[in-house]
């Protein structure tokens, strides 16, 4: 990841551990999607528990890896919105 913006030299890494807050976005969205997906597929569409559980567990393991960079971007934008520099 770049340490600062190439155009305006805005520092992305404000302090050590700054991006720990992105975990809230990543975990929160993963939990929300899984918590909606499982009941919708199992109870709403009547799909069997085994495949739905396997799909949801797979999603819960793989989605955060893919969403990692977007969660950081969301965290950076959220921090800039709350505490503009
Ligand atoms: Zn910039």
């Amino acid at each position: 990841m770049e340490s600062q913006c190439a155009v305006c030299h805005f520092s992305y890494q404000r302090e050590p551990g700054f991006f720990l807050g992105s975990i809230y976005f990543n975990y929160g969205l993963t939990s929300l999607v899984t918590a909606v997906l499982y009941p919708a597929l199992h109870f709403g569409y009547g799909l069997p528990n085994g495949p739905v559980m396997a799909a949801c567990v797979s999603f819960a393991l793989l989605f955060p890896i893919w969403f990692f960079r977007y969660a950081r971007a969301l965290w950076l934008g959220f921090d800039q919105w709350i505490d503009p520099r």
Side-chain angles (χ1 to χ4, degrees), residues 20-85:
L20 281 176
S22 70
I23 292 171
Y24 296 122
F25 283 102
N26 209 344
Y27 177 74
L29 188 61
T30 302
S31 300
L32 181 69
V33 170
T34 306
V36 170
L37 194 64
Y38 178 80
L41 292 176
H42 184 59
F43 299 111
Y45 290 100
L47 297 176
N49 182 53
V52 171
M53 182 63 78
C56 286
V57 168
S58 298
F59 176 83
L61 292 175
L62 297 175
F63 177 77
I65 296 169
W66 173 79
F67 192 66
F68 174 77
R69 63 178 60 199
Y70 304 107
R72 280 185 159 210
L74 282 170
W75 178 250
L76 189 62
F78 175 75
D79 185 65
Q80 180 64 20
W81 177 51
I82 295 297
D83 184 20
R85 303 286 159 99

Side-chain angles (χ1 to χ4, degrees), residues 4-10 12:
Q4 63 182 8
C5 177
V7 176
C8 66
H9 305 293
F10 174 80
Y12 297 139

